[in-house]
Amino acid sequence: MQTSWTLRYENQPEVQEDLVSDLSLSLDLSPLTVRLLLGRGCSTARDIEEYLNPRIEHLADPFLVPGIPSAVQLVRKHLTLQSPIAIHGDYDVDGITASAVLTRVFRRLGADSHVFLPHRIHDGYGLTRAGLEFAKKKGAKLLITVDCGITAFDIIEEARAAGMDVIVTDHHQISPRGLPSASAIIHPLIDPSGEAFKELSAVGLAFKLACALIGDEARELLDLVSLGTVADVAPLAGENRIFVKYGLEKCREGRNLGIKALAEAAKLRGRWSAMHLGFNIGPRINASGRLDSPDIALALLTSQHEKEARSLAAILEAENKRRQRIEREAVKQAVEKVEREFNFSRDRVIVVWDERWHPGVIGIMASRLVDKFYRPAIVISLDENKLGRGSARSIRHFNIFNALNDVSGCLMEHGGHEQAAGFKIKADQLEAFREAINQNAVLELDAEHLVKSYEVEAELKLSELTRKFVEELDRFEPFGAGNPKPVFLTRRLLVKGKPSTLGTGQHGQAAGGGLVGQARAVGTGHLKFWVSDGETTFEALWFNARPFDWGHESFIDIVYTPDSRTWDGQTFPVLAIKDIKFS
């Protein structure tokens, strides 16, 4: 795979050195840290202070979110009437955590509330007919959706005709048809005043509703909010950044028995980060909804008993391991299919389908194909009735939701975001769909868009990676979408030892030219070595290393993020390699 490196700020005006100096002195930060903060959108000492120290007091009044004032009135009316309330969530982490937030709020308010989470295979995505029947069976007079409903025109009309008030809480793209006939709609983009909340995930919107209903008591639910926000890859800026910072603190305290039990099952120890939510906790919550019913995950996150929580966490742990086995085999099959069938010189979007693939893992499969081939990828699972469920993941410069809109004549239904979407399709439309979406992509994607690009924040010397600087970078956390770990470039380094084979566990022979020591594989596709500029030396780890010709006896340039690892009670700096090229 070809890669390119770009300096993020090379086309921006030069930073004024006197401003850097003044801010560095007043805030006791290194000048390099100040430059990075200015590049991330901070322009004053106050901006920097708010970025480095996000405070819960900075959260906006929840009643400013479009739809919340009218939604609160409806909820209070039904609480007074003691009406049964139905909550319709979704089967992913965002939908499950949002449902858990409202469940715990209504439990606190003494409401008669019931939750329906759709089964991925039996019910499908979004506000479902099964969910409506569930609400009717429970005698609900108020139906609240979370993470779905914004395009469910027909089912919402049926609910209203059945005598229900309907509150839609959603953050997905609004249909070109407009808005459904709900009693109230909580969605940032239904009014220009909601611009400040447009990046909130469904659990973020549920939390804002919770704040409007029970005030500051809702802050006890920030562990759930942080989990759903990170798992939904919401940008960690603005309020999302505050949610995750304070939510992580509550996760570490073990306030939510379900999250605590999952952390124990995942053997999480020490200091948690947003990465642990996204890569350790989130997949375990997702596991039940991917392969079976998501109800176990909801029961876990709302559990009030430690023994029950541990038992449910053990079930999810087993489900996650089963999901990993299914995923590995399916990804292998999909990669082989792409390498055998895909025309890389003609087509832009990978579209593959198969009857063998479980619909619960096709989203992960699409992400794996994007990572490997750096193309938009669509994976479709076909059932025995020749009905396909598709999941799409994209790259920068290509809005996959808009692309699906443009070829919607091939689809039964679809929904999603710019970078991730889902749909249903009949088998006899697959070839037409593949051709149509690739014709669309040819107009949107040039050859340079299909080269994986690493955005670099600064070019450094190894000597600039001081302990003070690395500690200051830690204050940029929580890292994630919208607030990535800073990526740096350092040129003309010597490698201490070169590997002959990646990921085999074999040791490479040391090369000449002044190189010393040996690099070694540390797991399949992972590599550990050392780099030096002649004066300063750092350990480097390259996870999921791409093929690289180590035979050249030459200097290398590296793109990396500074990190650290603890061994025997001591913390050591390490460079997490993103990419390598010869100087």
Side-chain angles (χ1 to χ4, degrees), residues 407-421:
V407 300
S408 59
C410 299
L411 306 175
M412 298 171 65
E413 60 184 64
H414 69 284
H417 305 286
E418 290 185 8
Q419 296 294 297

Side-chain angles (χ1 to χ4, degrees), residues 535-574:
E535 296 180 359
T536 306
T537 300
F538 277 98
E539 180 183 6
L541 293 172
W542 193 6
F543 292 102
N544 300 310
R546 66 176 175 82
F548 188 73
D549 182 8
W550 293 90
H552 293 270
E553 295 180 16
S554 178
F555 293 100
I556 62 167
D557 301 338
I558 61 172
V559 167
Y560 60 93
T561 59
D563 210 336
S564 60
R565 65 186 184 93
T566 301
W567 179 259
D568 198 23
Q570 295 188 38
T571 300
F572 302 92
V574 63

Side-chain angles (χ1 to χ4, degrees), residues 96-379:
I96 295 170
T97 52
S99 299
V101 164
L102 292 191
T103 296
R104 292 179 61 176
V105 167
F106 288 130
R107 181 187 290 166
R108 188 167 303 194
L109 292 171
D112 179 19
S113 64
H114 310 272
V115 179
F116 177 86
L117 297 178
H119 191 289
R120 185 185 292 261
I121 299 174
H122 300 152
D123 303 318
Y125 167 81
L127 179 56
T128 62
R129 192 163 304 281
L132 176 58
E133 293 306 316
F134 171 88
K136 289 178 180 178
K137 185 177 179 180
K138 296 298 182 181
K141 297 302 180 184
L142 174 62
L143 172 61
I144 304 177
T145 77
V146 283
D147 204 25
C148 60
I150 198 64
T151 60
F153 299 92
D154 295 343
I155 292 180
I156 288 175
E157 285 183 6
E158 288 185 38
R160 297 297 305 278
M164 294 183 205
D165 283 322
V166 179
I167 299 173
V168 169
T169 309
D170 204 351
H171 66 130
H172 291 95
Q173 295 272 2
I174 295 173
S175 168
R177 288 176 57 184
L179 299 173
S181 57
S183 313
I185 298 176
I186 301 173
H187 193 297
L189 300 184
I190 62 173
D191 189 275
S193 65
E195 180 71 17
F197 308 102
K198 68 178 182 179
E199 302 293 1
L200 297 190
S201 60
V203 73
L205 293 173
F207 174 72
K208 300 300 281 190
L209 177 59
C211 291
L213 289 169
I214 63 174
D216 290 349
E217 291 181 45
R219 295 176 182 179
E220 293 301 312
L221 305 172
L222 279 170
D223 41 18
L224 291 169
V225 181
S226 63
L227 173 57
T229 298
V230 171
D232 208 51
V233 201
L236 299 190
E239 297 212 342
N240 285 337
R241 184 170 170 79
I242 299 172
F243 294 162
V244 175
K245 180 193 173 182
Y246 283 88
L248 278 168
E249 291 178 3
K250 295 198 176 296
C251 287
R252 294 168 192 141
E253 293 169 3
R255 297 291 188 91
N256 184 290
L257 297 179
I259 295 176
K260 179 183 177 183
L262 274 184
E264 291 171 354
K267 297 180 172 57
L268 280 185
R269 300 181 182 88
R271 186 169 177 270
W272 284 35
S273 69
M275 180 190 72
H276 294 109
L277 293 180
F279 291 95
N280 297 93
I281 303 298
R284 287 167 167 81
I285 294 293
N286 250 337
S288 64
R290 288 193 182 281
L291 303 183
D292 203 345
S293 167
D295 292 338
I296 294 173
L298 178 67
L300 174 68
L301 295 180
T302 56
S303 176
Q304 297 176 291
H305 306 285
E306 285 202 26
K307 186 176 180 180
E308 177 190 49
R310 289 197 185 98
S311 175
L312 293 171
I315 294 173
L316 289 188
E317 181 71 13
E319 281 291 276
N320 191 51
K321 289 178 179 176
R322 184 164 75 96
R323 185 271 304 170
Q324 289 172 328
R325 291 193 297 270
I326 292 171
E327 174 200 325
R328 279 194 297 268
E329 180 60 26
V331 168
K332 179 183 176 183
Q333 294 166 356
V335 169
E336 290 172 352
K337 187 180 282 279
V338 172
E339 292 176 337
R340 185 174 61 248
E341 300 175 3
F342 187 73
N343 189 329
F344 285 91
S345 61
R346 182 193 66 198
D347 293 337
R348 298 285 191 266
V349 182
I350 294 170
V351 182
V352 289
W353 57 83
D354 205 292
E355 296 88 351
R356 296 172 294 175
W357 298 338
H358 194 293
V361 300
I362 56 176
I364 302 173
M365 293 171 65
S367 295
R368 298 287 185 267
L369 295 181
V370 172
D371 290 341
K372 183 171 181 62
F373 299 107
Y374 202 69
R375 306 260 175 155
I378 298 173
V379 179

